[in-house]
Amino acid sequence: MFRLKQESLYKNFIPGRVSVTHKTCYEVISEDSTYTCELTGNMLYGRAYSEYPCTGDWVIFQPVDADKGIIFEILPRKRTLYRLKSGTTFEKQAIASYVDKAFIVQSLDHNFNVRRIERFMLQIAAEDIQPALALTKTDLGFHKNEVEIALRHIAHKIPVFFTSMQSPDSIEPLRRFISPGETVVFTGSSGVGKSTLINILCGREVMETAVISDSTGKGRHTTTRREMVLMEGSGILIDTPGVKVFGVTNDDTNMLSEVLDIRDFEEQCRFKDCQHINEKGCAVIKAVENGDIDKGVYENYLKLRKEAWHYSVSEHEKRKYEKSFSKMVKEVKKHPFKKY
Ligand SMILES: Nc1nc2c(ncn2[C@@H]2O[C@H](COP(=O)(O)OP(=O)(O)OP(=O)(O)O)[C@@H](O)[C@H]2O)c(=O)[nH]1
Ligand SMILES: [Mg+2]
Ligand SMILES: [Zn+2]
């Protein structure tokens, strides 16, 4: 009896993957077609911002037309790239889910910034996602030696690709790095060439890119939505709009030390709970002083640790508030006429 009810409940429901997120609707790809879907009334309320569907999510939906549908359920997320929603201290924003690899894209001009690469790496490390670095616009001229020195402490953790849109050969290693069926997200500031890379990889203009005359100037937010495209016979690529500030939501400080390659030093500190600020016998500070840890890396370590602390405190406060709120709701349900 129960089975019958379940069957009828889920009749005409099909699974699909969110390929584009708009403000209030979602494009969902299923086995046979693409549907523009809205959420059921039930799904619209009582959700945190990060719990609404994001590009890459698997959903269960019901077609109501040849190209329209209603989403009833989001399947549990895996390998999701989050960021801190801009303007907030604890709200997460889901950028893409079911991601296998994440390309951190930077152009080899004023945009190149190792501290920002470290920031992205920390966030990607929070999930089981493989990071990769695409350094674009090599044709503009840059000092490879200097770049390699700047990446010394992270180069063994992340594959690095040097590319130029003017040299198709330079894109080939990147193409080989992407395996069939894999989902790959491209992230980085506006104007660095994320959409350009995706177009070259797909062999056609799937994404709009900024006009050529802008190629050396600052980005101007050409891509405005997170969108998934299929790379013929290979991976599934997700383009994202350029971000100004990428706030992290990974508050695991051990992981931070790991990403920044200071873990080995940390283990030699005299005190187990050493904060590496001014303690006696701190091996991290000693390493900074004698040049084994770059000063910039150390400063970013302190900065990211502070941000992580702010994030986890706000997150904790939020949970406390939600707990007391739901307790009150329960009380109200139990004693609807009691005065509060
Ligand atoms: N010289 C040079 N210009 C490039 C290269 N790659 C991209 N560009 C130019 O850089 C500009 C920005 O490229 P987009 O691909 O639109 O950048 P984006 O990262 O997608 O930017 P948003 O969508 O705003 O986040 C365009 O004018 C491209 O032609 C490159 O390898 N060399
Ligand atoms: Mg773009
Ligand atoms: Zn220490």
Side-chain angles (χ1 to χ4, degrees):
M1 187 64 192
F2 174 72
R3 241 193 73 160
L4 269 180
K5 198 172 165 201
Q6 285 283 309
E7 272 170 15
S8 64
L9 199 64
Y10 285 102
K11 217 168 132 196
N12 299 329
F13 281 65
I14 50 175
R17 199 161 181 209
V18 176
S19 61
V20 187
T21 44
H22 299 283
K23 268 222 158 67
T24 57
C25 64
Y26 306 86
E27 275 169 44
V28 178
I29 304 178
S30 74
E31 213 175 323
D32 61 337
S33 182
T34 301
Y35 296 82
T36 303
C37 294
E38 288 183 5
L39 300 178
T40 59
N42 256 350
M43 285 190 70
L44 277 172
Y45 306 103
R47 267 170 201 277
Y49 181 74
S50 64
E51 289 167 353
Y52 286 93
C54 72
T55 304
D57 266 338
W58 284 93
V59 295
I60 302 290
F61 73 103
Q62 185 176 41
V64 291
D65 210 328
D67 57 1
K68 287 196 180 61
I70 299 173
I71 297 173
F72 277 75
E73 199 81 73
I74 309 175
L75 299 185
R77 277 199 182 132
K78 285 193 179 136
R79 304 189 306 275
T80 308
L81 180 64
Y82 288 101
R83 70 181 274 224
L84 192 64
K85 187 176 175 228
S86 48
T88 74
T89 50
F90 59 79
E91 199 140 33
K92 282 203 287 193
Q93 177 180 18
I95 296 173
S97 67
Y98 286 89
V99 171
D100 298 291
K101 289 173 178 160
F103 268 104
I104 302 166
V105 187
Q106 291 198 351
S107 50
L108 287 161
D109 47 16
H110 58 270
N111 181 259
F112 179 69
N113 181 320
V114 185
R115 304 290 87 86
R116 203 165 345 98
I117 297 173
E118 292 165 350
R119 179 176 284 276
F120 275 114
M121 283 177 73
L122 174 65
Q123 188 63 37
I124 293 166
E127 305 265 336
D128 191 16
I129 299 172
Q130 189 186 349
L133 180 61
L135 298 171
T136 62
K137 309 195 189 183
T138 55
D139 54 282
L140 296 180
F142 71 105
H143 298 288
K144 195 162 184 184
N145 210 15
E146 280 173 23
V147 170
E148 280 172 351
I149 290 172
L151 297 175
R152 209 175 29 185
H153 63 300
I154 46 177
H156 58 287
K157 292 193 171 71
I158 181 168
V160 183
F161 299 88
F162 289 88
T163 70
S164 165
M165 67 185 284
Q166 290 169 11
S167 150
D169 282 356
S170 70
I171 316 282
E172 282 315 299
L174 208 139
R175 186 188 300 282
R176 284 196 297 273
F177 180 69
I178 301 169
S179 308
E182 270 180 355
T183 299
V184 185
V185 68
F186 290 70
T187 175
S189 318
S190 179
V192 295
K194 300 180 293 296
S195 304
T196 304
L197 272 180
I198 291 176
N199 285 345
I200 297 173
L201 288 168
C202 290
R204 63 205 162 93
E205 296 290 303
V206 279
M207 299 294 175
E208 196 192 331
T209 59
V211 290
I212 300 293
S213 60
D214 260 11
S215 64
T216 51
K218 290 211 165 149
R220 46 173 216 170
H221 299 280
T222 309
T223 303
T224 53
R225 56 193 204 176
R226 287 174 279 280
E227 179 167 358
M228 182 192 273
V229 288
L230 303 179
M231 188 178 153
E232 202 61 39
S234 183
I236 297 150
L237 312 184
I238 299 178
D239 197 3
T240 64
V243 286
K244 267 212 184 79
V245 185
F246 191 93
V248 292
T249 64
N250 182 0
D251 54 8
D252 184 334
T253 48
N254 287 337
M255 221 179 264
L256 173 62
S257 318
E258 202 78 60
V259 166
L260 297 182
D261 223 20
I262 65 172
R263 195 96 179 100
D264 288 349
F265 297 103
E266 207 170 44
E267 276 164 4
Q268 293 161 32
C269 291
R270 184 182 303 166
F271 305 112
K272 247 195 143 49
D273 59 350
C274 184
Q275 296 296 301
H276 325 308
I277 295 170
N278 53 12
E279 293 90 339
K280 274 216 170 90
C282 173
V284 172
I285 294 175
K286 196 172 146 218
V288 176
E289 280 166 2
N290 63 26
D292 288 337
I293 296 177
D294 185 274
K295 198 153 178 281
V297 174
Y298 173 68
E299 278 164 6
N300 207 28
Y301 166 77
L302 294 182
K303 187 163 190 268
L304 289 168
R305 194 176 69 179
K306 195 164 149 200
E307 281 182 35
W309 182 80
H310 274 294
Y311 173 75
S312 62
V313 169
S314 321
E315 172 75 5
H316 181 72
E317 287 299 313
K318 190 182 86 172
R319 288 230 184 92
K320 237 170 53 189
Y321 170 77
E322 280 173 354
K323 231 175 169 178
S324 67
F325 184 75
S326 71
K327 206 168 141 195
M328 189 188 82
V329 171
K330 269 188 205 148
E331 279 292 307
V332 171
K333 279 185 182 160
K334 250 197 273 170
H335 312 286
F337 302 112
K338 189 175 154 188
K339 281 209 171 100
Y340 287 90

